[in-house]
Amino acid sequence: GEKKKVVEAIREYPKLHPERALSCILQSAELMSRARPGARKERVDNYIHRLEEMESISKSFAGVEQAFAVQAGAEVRVMVNYTKVSDKEVLALSREIAGRIEEQLSYPGEVRVTVIREARASEVAR
């Protein structure tokens, strides 16, 4: 009994059509719903365990120094040692980590894996 526009927006979800207000509203509602533990009837201890597992899986790869599950588990940010992981290897590493997370964990929605490789240098001019 919903209006045609509402039905179409739900049917096309999760594809985001920025020109369509209902598509943006659905996307925002889903993100807000996912953003807090327990929002989808998940126990907090299960939620925390899943985040820890995402980080643990990410840290198990060579060259990874740190990993952080962020955005309520919708993203894992992985910091690699720039001397051990090349620019070419970063893309493959992100795919491998995502594949392992997909194989080993159960989670709502999707998980974005962002691998960060950087070198920093600073000097003081006097």
Side-chain angles (χ1 to χ4, degrees), residues 12-28:
E12 293 176 355
Y13 184 80
K15 294 178 186 173
L16 181 61
H17 298 280
E19 71 281 2
R20 299 182 191 161
L22 283 175
S23 177
C24 294
I25 291 169
L26 279 173
Q27 185 81 11
S28 298

Side-chain angles (χ1 to χ4, degrees), residues 13 16 25 29 31 35 39-40 66 71 86 97 104-105 113 120:
Y13 184 80
L16 181 61
I25 291 169
L31 290 172
R40 297 194 175 172
Q66 295 178 315
Q71 305 266 347
S86 70
I97 293 170
Q104 295 183 7
L105 296 178
V113 176
R120 293 184 189 191

Side-chain angles (χ1 to χ4, degrees), residues 19-20 24 44 46 62 67-68 74 77 83 93 100 117 126:
E19 71 281 2
R20 299 182 191 161
C24 294
V44 173
N46 291 342
F68 305 96
R77 293 194 185 146
T83 63
L93 181 61
R100 181 106 32 101
R117 177 187 186 266
R126 300 192 196 277

Side-chain angles (χ1 to χ4, degrees), residues 106-125:
S106 175
Y107 47 87
E110 57 188 27
V111 177
R112 176 181 304 276
V113 176
T114 302
V115 177
I116 301 167
R117 177 187 186 266
E118 67 180 6
R120 293 184 189 191
S122 65
E123 188 58 52
V124 176

Side-chain angles (χ1 to χ4, degrees), residues 32-48 50-51 72:
M32 287 188 284
S33 171
R34 185 179 359 149
R36 80 184 163 89
R40 297 194 175 172
K41 301 195 187 317
E42 179 180 27
R43 290 180 37 185
V44 173
D45 55 337
N46 291 342
Y47 167 79
I48 291 170
R50 187 177 74 245
L51 298 183

